[in-house]
Amino acid sequence: MTSTTAVPYRVTPTRVLRSEWHKLWTLRSTWITLIATSVLTLAMGLGLAASYDGSGEGQLDTVVFVLLGTQFATVNLGVLGILATAGEYSTGQVRATMTAVPRRLPVLWSKAAVLAAVSFALCLWTNLLTFPLAQSFLDGTDQSAALGDPGVLRALAGNAAGLTLLAVTALAIGALARSIPIAVGVFIGLVMILPEVLAMLPYDIVDDAVRYFPGNALTALTTAQPQPGQASPGTALLALLLWTAATLALAAATLRRRDV
């Protein structure tokens, strides 16, 4: 008579990734946030286009004008990223997660990968839908443009990439702060408030640095025709990648050293 020994499941990157995918999609907040992000971007783009009188007073880049609704997307996706990490600490679920994956870091990488995939797909789809619909109202105005015009597709994709990187940055901030309110405050301060405060300082070196802060880098990525005083799209993307990598590295170091 032979005895059989149950072989425990091994913790593999694929299984951790599948687990984080399942956790993200089973949260009601995920669905609400993603739907709100897409609807607000589309509604604001169509609303602005329909009410535009062709005066050209704002002289905004066409893609920036149509995608002004992504200001809401920045906050929505940032909060979603924070909930993916800090939310587990607030509910205590993190203990079960780290018990199942003792090495910890695969959890962080998997959360970031899942959030990045979902955010990029949603933002790109929303942008590609919003822009041509908005242009149906802008035909014959100074904001009229087509998807095939120079820089337009690059700007639409760049906006999606920028929003995705900001969402992952927020996820890392959530892992660092382990508190939803603190993480939200830090994220909004970094993206929206701090650059405006620093821009008031009368120093050229500060002005040069501010253009590479996350919010301004996102605007540069969303611009079809680069404007004076803005970072180039390639430099803006690199800046956002560095911000994201730095916050993820800090989150990883903190995750390894702290007790759950």
Side-chain angles (χ1 to χ4, degrees), residues 95-156:
R95 294 184 179 87
T97 298
M98 296 310 175
T99 299
V101 189
R103 293 178 61 189
R104 300 187 177 188
L105 291 188
V107 173
L108 181 63
W109 309 142
S110 295
K111 286 181 182 295
V114 168
L115 180 65
V118 171
S119 299
F120 184 75
L122 174 82
C123 293
L124 184 60
W125 177 85
T126 302
N127 291 351
L128 291 175
L129 176 65
T130 301
F131 188 81
L133 288 177
Q135 285 299 324
S136 65
F137 295 101
L138 296 172
D139 187 39
T141 71
D142 62 311
Q143 294 289 350
S144 178
L147 285 174
D149 288 351
V152 170
L153 280 176
R154 191 267 307 151
L156 295 174

Coordinates of all heavy atoms in Angstrom, one line a residue, residues 95-156:
R95 N -2.3 40.9 5.5 CA -1.7 39.8 6.2 C -1.9 38.5 5.5 O -1.0 37.7 5.4 CB -2.4 39.7 7.6 CG -2.1 40.9 8.5 CD -2.6 40.7 9.9 NE -2.3 41.9 10.7 CZ -3.1 43.0 10.8 NH1 -4.2 43.1 10.1 NH2 -2.8 44.0 11.6
A96 N -3.1 38.2 5.0 CA -3.3 37.0 4.2 C -2.5 37.0 2.9 O -2.0 36.0 2.5 CB -4.8 36.9 3.9
T97 N -2.4 38.2 2.3 CA -1.6 38.3 1.0 C -0.2 37.9 1.3 O 0.4 37.1 0.5 CB -1.8 39.7 0.5 OG1 -3.1 39.9 0.1 CG2 -0.9 39.8 -0.8
M98 N 0.4 38.5 2.3 CA 1.8 38.3 2.6 C 2.1 36.9 3.1 O 3.2 36.4 3.0 CB 2.4 39.4 3.5 CG 2.3 40.8 2.9 SD 3.0 40.8 1.2 CE 2.7 42.5 0.8
T99 N 1.1 36.3 3.8 CA 1.3 34.9 4.3 C 1.3 34.0 3.1 O 2.1 33.0 3.0 CB 0.1 34.5 5.2 OG1 0.1 35.4 6.3 CG2 0.3 33.1 5.7
A100 N 0.5 34.3 2.1 CA 0.5 33.4 0.9 C 1.7 33.6 0.0 O 2.2 32.7 -0.7 CB -0.8 33.7 0.1
V101 N 2.2 34.8 0.0 CA 3.4 35.2 -0.8 C 4.5 35.7 0.1 O 4.7 37.0 0.2 CB 3.1 36.1 -1.9 CG1 4.3 36.3 -2.9 CG2 1.9 35.7 -2.7
P102 N 5.2 34.9 0.8 CA 6.2 35.4 1.8 C 7.3 36.3 1.3 O 7.8 37.1 2.0 CB 6.8 34.1 2.4 CG 5.8 33.0 2.1 CD 5.2 33.4 0.8
R103 N 7.6 36.1 0.0 CA 8.7 37.0 -0.6 C 8.2 38.4 -0.8 O 9.1 39.3 -1.0 CB 9.2 36.3 -1.9 CG 9.9 35.0 -1.7 CD 10.3 34.4 -3.0 NE 11.2 35.3 -3.7 CZ 11.6 35.1 -5.0 NH1 11.1 34.0 -5.6 NH2 12.4 35.9 -5.6
R104 N 7.0 38.7 -0.8 CA 6.4 40.0 -0.8 C 6.5 40.8 -2.1 O 5.5 41.3 -2.6 CB 6.9 40.9 0.4 CG 6.7 40.3 1.7 CD 7.1 41.3 2.8 NE 6.8 40.8 4.1 CZ 6.9 41.5 5.2 NH1 7.4 42.8 5.2 NH2 6.6 41.0 6.4
L105 N 7.7 40.9 -2.6 CA 7.9 41.7 -3.8 C 7.1 41.3 -5.0 O 6.6 42.2 -5.8 CB 9.4 41.8 -4.1 CG 10.3 42.6 -3.2 CD1 11.7 42.8 -3.7 CD2 9.7 44.0 -2.8
P106 N 6.9 40.0 -5.3 CA 6.0 39.6 -6.4 C 4.6 40.2 -6.3 O 4.0 40.4 -7.3 CB 6.0 38.1 -6.3 CG 7.3 37.7 -5.7 CD 7.6 38.8 -4.7
V107 N 4.2 40.4 -5.1 CA 2.8 41.0 -4.9 C 2.8 42.4 -5.5 O 1.9 42.8 -6.2 CB 2.4 41.0 -3.4 CG1 1.1 41.8 -3.2 CG2 2.3 39.6 -2.9
L108 N 3.9 43.2 -5.1 CA 4.0 44.6 -5.6 C 4.1 44.6 -7.1 O 3.4 45.4 -7.8 CB 5.2 45.3 -4.9 CG 5.4 46.7 -5.3 CD1 4.2 47.6 -4.8 CD2 6.7 47.3 -4.7
W109 N 5.0 43.8 -7.7 CA 5.1 43.8 -9.1 C 3.8 43.4 -9.8 O 3.5 44.0 -10.9 CB 6.3 42.9 -9.5 CG 7.6 43.1 -8.8 CD1 8.4 42.1 -8.5 CD2 8.2 44.3 -8.4 NE1 9.5 42.6 -7.8 CE2 9.4 44.0 -7.8 CE3 7.9 45.6 -8.5 CZ2 10.3 44.9 -7.3 CZ3 8.7 46.6 -8.0 CH2 9.9 46.2 -7.4
S110 N 3.2 42.4 -9.3 CA 1.9 41.9 -9.9 C 0.8 43.0 -9.8 O 0.1 43.2 -10.8 CB 1.4 40.6 -9.2 OG 2.4 39.6 -9.4
K111 N 0.7 43.7 -8.7 CA -0.3 44.7 -8.6 C 0.0 45.8 -9.6 O -0.9 46.3 -10.3 CB -0.3 45.3 -7.2 CG -0.9 44.5 -6.1 CD -0.8 45.2 -4.7 CE -1.4 44.3 -3.6 NZ -2.8 44.1 -3.8
A112 N 1.3 46.2 -9.7 CA 1.6 47.2 -10.7 C 1.3 46.8 -12.1 O 0.8 47.6 -12.9 CB 3.1 47.6 -10.5
A113 N 1.7 45.6 -12.5 CA 1.4 45.1 -13.8 C 0.0 45.0 -14.2 O -0.4 45.4 -15.3 CB 2.1 43.7 -14.0
V114 N -0.9 44.5 -13.2 CA -2.3 44.4 -13.5 C -2.9 45.8 -13.6 O -3.7 46.1 -14.6 CB -3.0 43.7 -12.3 CG1 -4.5 43.8 -12.4 CG2 -2.6 42.2 -12.4
L115 N -2.5 46.7 -12.7 CA -3.1 48.1 -12.8 C -2.6 48.8 -14.1 O -3.4 49.5 -14.7 CB -2.6 48.9 -11.6 CG -3.1 50.4 -11.6 CD1 -4.6 50.4 -11.4 CD2 -2.4 51.1 -10.4
A116 N -1.4 48.6 -14.5 CA -0.9 49.2 -15.7 C -1.6 48.7 -16.9 O -2.0 49.5 -17.8 CB 0.6 49.0 -15.9
A117 N -1.9 47.4 -17.0 CA -2.5 46.8 -18.2 C -4.0 47.4 -18.3 O -4.4 47.8 -19.4 CB -2.5 45.3 -18.1
V118 N -4.7 47.4 -17.1 CA -6.1 47.8 -17.1 C -6.1 49.3 -17.5 O -7.0 49.8 -18.3 CB -6.7 47.5 -15.8 CG1 -8.1 48.2 -15.7 CG2 -6.8 46.0 -15.6
S119 N -5.3 50.1 -16.8 CA -5.3 51.6 -17.0 C -5.0 52.0 -18.5 O -5.7 52.8 -19.1 CB -4.3 52.3 -16.1 OG -4.7 52.0 -14.7
F120 N -4.0 51.4 -19.0 CA -3.6 51.7 -20.4 C -4.7 51.4 -21.4 O -5.0 52.2 -22.3 CB -2.3 51.1 -20.8 CG -1.8 51.5 -22.1 CD1 -1.2 52.8 -22.3 CD2 -1.9 50.7 -23.2 CE1 -0.8 53.2 -23.6 CE2 -1.5 51.1 -24.5 CZ -0.9 52.3 -24.7
A121 N -5.2 50.2 -21.3 CA -6.3 49.7 -22.2 C -7.5 50.7 -22.1 O -8.0 51.1 -23.1 CB -6.7 48.3 -21.9
L122 N -7.9 51.0 -20.9 CA -9.1 51.8 -20.7 C -8.8 53.2 -21.3 O -9.7 53.8 -22.0 CB -9.4 51.9 -19.2 CG -10.6 52.9 -18.9 CD1 -11.9 52.3 -19.2 CD2 -10.5 53.4 -17.5
C123 N -7.7 53.8 -20.9 CA -7.4 55.2 -21.3 C -7.2 55.3 -22.8 O -7.7 56.3 -23.5 CB -6.1 55.7 -20.6 SG -6.3 55.9 -18.8
L124 N -6.5 54.4 -23.4 CA -6.3 54.4 -24.9 C -7.7 54.3 -25.6 O -8.0 55.0 -26.6 CB -5.4 53.3 -25.3 CG -5.0 53.3 -26.8 CD1 -4.3 54.7 -27.2 CD2 -4.1 52.2 -27.1
W125 N -8.5 53.3 -25.2 CA -9.8 53.1 -25.8 C -10.7 54.4 -25.7 O -11.3 54.8 -26.6 CB -10.5 51.9 -25.2 CG -11.9 51.7 -25.7 CD1 -12.2 51.0 -26.8 CD2 -13.1 52.2 -25.1 NE1 -13.6 51.0 -27.0 CE2 -14.2 51.7 -25.9 CE3 -13.4 53.0 -24.0 CZ2 -15.5 52.0 -25.7 CZ3 -14.7 53.3 -23.7 CH2 -15.8 52.8 -24.6
T126 N -10.7 55.0 -24.5 CA -11.5 56.2 -24.2 C -11.0 57.3 -25.1 O -11.8 58.1 -25.7 CB -11.4 56.6 -22.8 OG1 -11.9 55.5 -21.9 CG2 -12.2 57.8 -22.5
N127 N -9.7 57.5 -25.2 CA -9.1 58.6 -26.0 C -9.5 58.4 -27.5 O -9.8 59.4 -28.2 CB -7.6 58.6 -25.8 CG -7.2 59.1 -24.5 OD1 -8.0 59.5 -23.7 ND2 -5.9 59.0 -24.2
L128 N -9.3 57.2 -28.0 CA -9.6 56.9 -29.4 C -11.1 57.1 -29.7 O -11.5 57.3 -30.9 CB -9.1 55.5 -29.8 CG -7.6 55.3 -29.8 CD1 -7.2 53.9 -30.1 CD2 -6.9 56.3 -30.8
L129 N -11.9 56.9 -28.7 CA -13.4 57.2 -28.9 C -13.7 58.6 -28.8 O -14.5 59.2 -29.6 CB -14.2 56.3 -27.9 CG -15.7 56.5 -27.9 CD1 -16.3 56.0 -29.2 CD2 -16.3 55.8 -26.7
T130 N -13.1 59.3 -27.8 CA -13.5 60.7 -27.5 C -13.0 61.6 -28.6 O -13.8 62.5 -29.0 CB -12.8 61.1 -26.1 OG1 -13.3 60.2 -25.1 CG2 -13.2 62.5 -25.8
F131 N -11.8 61.4 -29.1 CA -11.3 62.4 -30.0 C -12.1 62.5 -31.3 O -12.5 63.7 -31.7 CB -9.8 62.1 -30.3 CG -9.1 63.1 -31.2 CD1 -8.6 64.3 -30.6 CD2 -9.0 63.0 -32.5 CE1 -8.0 65.3 -31.3 CE2 -8.4 64.0 -33.3 CZ -7.9 65.1 -32.7
P132 N -12.4 61.4 -32.0 CA -13.2 61.6 -33.3 C -14.6 62.1 -33.0 O -15.1 62.9 -33.8 CB -13.1 60.2 -33.9 CG -12.7 59.3 -32.8 CD -11.9 60.1 -31.9
L133 N -15.2 61.7 -31.9 CA -16.5 62.1 -31.6 C -16.5 63.6 -31.3 O -17.4 64.4 -31.8 CB -17.1 61.4 -30.4 CG -17.5 59.9 -30.7 CD1 -18.0 59.3 -29.4 CD2 -18.6 59.8 -31.7
A134 N -15.5 64.1 -30.6 CA -15.4 65.5 -30.3 C -15.2 66.3 -31.6 O -15.7 67.5 -31.8 CB -14.3 65.8 -29.3
Q135 N -14.4 65.8 -32.4 CA -14.0 66.5 -33.7 C -15.2 66.7 -34.6 O -15.2 67.5 -35.5 CB -12.9 65.7 -34.4 CG -11.5 65.9 -33.8 CD -11.1 67.3 -33.8 OE1 -11.4 68.1 -34.7 NE2 -10.3 67.7 -32.8
S136 N -16.3 65.8 -34.4 CA -17.5 66.0 -35.2 C -18.1 67.4 -34.9 O -18.9 67.9 -35.7 CB -18.5 64.9 -35.0 OG -18.9 64.9 -33.7
F137 N -17.9 67.9 -33.7 CA -18.4 69.2 -33.3 C -17.4 70.4 -33.7 O -17.8 71.5 -33.7 CB -18.7 69.3 -31.8 CG -19.8 68.4 -31.4 CD1 -19.5 67.2 -30.8 CD2 -21.1 68.7 -31.6 CE1 -20.5 66.3 -30.3 CE2 -22.1 67.9 -31.1 CZ -21.8 66.7 -30.5
L138 N -16.2 70.0 -33.9 CA -15.1 71.0 -34.1 C -14.8 71.3 -35.5 O -13.9 72.1 -35.8 CB -13.9 70.6 -33.3 CG -14.0 70.5 -31.8 CD1 -12.8 69.9 -31.1 CD2 -14.3 71.9 -31.2
D139 N -15.4 70.6 -36.4 CA -15.1 70.7 -37.8 C -15.3 72.2 -38.3 O -16.3 72.8 -38.0 CB -16.1 69.8 -38.7 CG -15.7 69.8 -40.1 OD1 -14.5 69.8 -40.4 OD2 -16.6 69.9 -41.0
G140 N -14.3 72.7 -38.9 CA -14.3 74.1 -39.4 C -13.8 75.1 -38.4 O -13.8 76.3 -38.7
T141 N -13.4 74.7 -37.2 CA -12.9 75.6 -36.2 C -11.4 75.5 -36.2 O -10.8 74.6 -36.8 CB -13.4 75.3 -34.8 OG1 -12.9 74.1 -34.3 CG2 -15.0 75.2 -34.8
D142 N -10.7 76.3 -35.4 CA -9.3 76.2 -35.2 C -8.8 75.0 -34.5 O -7.6 74.7 -34.4 CB -8.7 77.5 -34.5 CG -9.3 77.6 -33.1 OD1 -10.5 77.5 -33.0 OD2 -8.5 77.9 -32.2
Q143 N -9.8 74.3 -33.8 CA -9.5 73.1 -33.1 C -9.7 71.8 -33.9 O -9.6 70.7 -33.4 CB -10.3 73.0 -31.8 CG -9.9 74.1 -30.8 CD -8.6 73.8 -30.1 OE1 -8.0 72.8 -30.3 NE2 -8.1 74.8 -29.4
S144 N -10.1 72.0 -35.2 CA -10.3 70.8 -36.0 C -9.1 70.1 -36.4 O -8.0 70.6 -36.7 CB -11.0 71.3 -37.3 OG -11.2 70.2 -38.2
A145 N -9.1 68.8 -36.3 CA -8.0 67.9 -36.5 C -8.5 66.5 -36.8 O -9.6 66.2 -36.5 CB -7.0 67.9 -35.4
A146 N -7.6 65.7 -37.4 CA -8.0 64.3 -37.7 C -7.0 63.4 -37.0 O -5.9 63.8 -36.7 CB -8.0 64.0 -39.2
L147 N -7.4 62.1 -36.9 CA -6.5 61.1 -36.2 C -5.1 61.0 -37.0 O -4.1 60.7 -36.4 CB -7.1 59.8 -36.1 CG -8.2 59.6 -35.1 CD1 -8.9 58.3 -35.2 CD2 -7.6 59.7 -33.7
G148 N -5.2 61.2 -38.3 CA -4.0 61.0 -39.1 C -3.1 62.3 -39.1 O -2.0 62.2 -39.7
D149 N -3.5 63.4 -38.5 CA -2.7 64.6 -38.5 C -1.4 64.3 -37.7 O -1.4 63.5 -36.7 CB -3.5 65.7 -37.9 CG -4.5 66.3 -38.9 OD1 -4.6 65.8 -40.0 OD2 -5.3 67.1 -38.4
P150 N -0.3 65.0 -38.0 CA 0.9 64.8 -37.3 C 0.8 65.0 -35.8 O 0.3 66.0 -35.3 CB 1.8 65.9 -37.9 CG 1.3 66.2 -39.2 CD -0.2 66.0 -39.1
G151 N 1.3 64.0 -35.1 CA 1.3 64.1 -33.6 C 0.1 63.7 -32.9 O 0.1 63.5 -31.7
V152 N -1.1 63.5 -33.6 CA -2.3 63.3 -32.9 C -2.4 61.9 -32.2 O -2.6 61.8 -31.0 CB -3.5 63.5 -33.8 CG1 -4.8 63.0 -33.2 CG2 -3.7 65.0 -34.2
L153 N -2.1 60.9 -33.0 CA -2.1 59.5 -32.5 C -1.1 59.4 -31.4 O -1.3 58.7 -30.4 CB -1.9 58.5 -33.6 CG -3.2 58.1 -34.4 CD1 -2.8 57.2 -35.5 CD2 -4.3 57.5 -33.5
R154 N 0.1 60.0 -31.6 CA 1.1 59.9 -30.6 C 0.7 60.5 -29.3 O 0.9 60.0 -28.2 CB 2.4 60.6 -31.2 CG 3.7 60.4 -30.3 CD 3.9 61.5 -29.3 NE 3.9 62.8 -29.9 CZ 3.5 63.9 -29.3 NH1 3.1 63.9 -28.1 NH2 3.5 65.0 -30.0
A155 N 0.0 61.7 -29.4 CA -0.5 62.4 -28.2 C -1.6 61.6 -27.5 O -1.6 61.5 -26.3 CB -1.0 63.8 -28.6
L156 N -2.5 61.0 -28.3 CA -3.5 60.1 -27.6 C -3.0 58.9 -26.9 O -3.4 58.6 -25.8 CB -4.5 59.7 -28.7 CG -5.4 60.8 -29.4 CD1 -6.2 60.2 -30.5 CD2 -6.3 61.5 -28.4

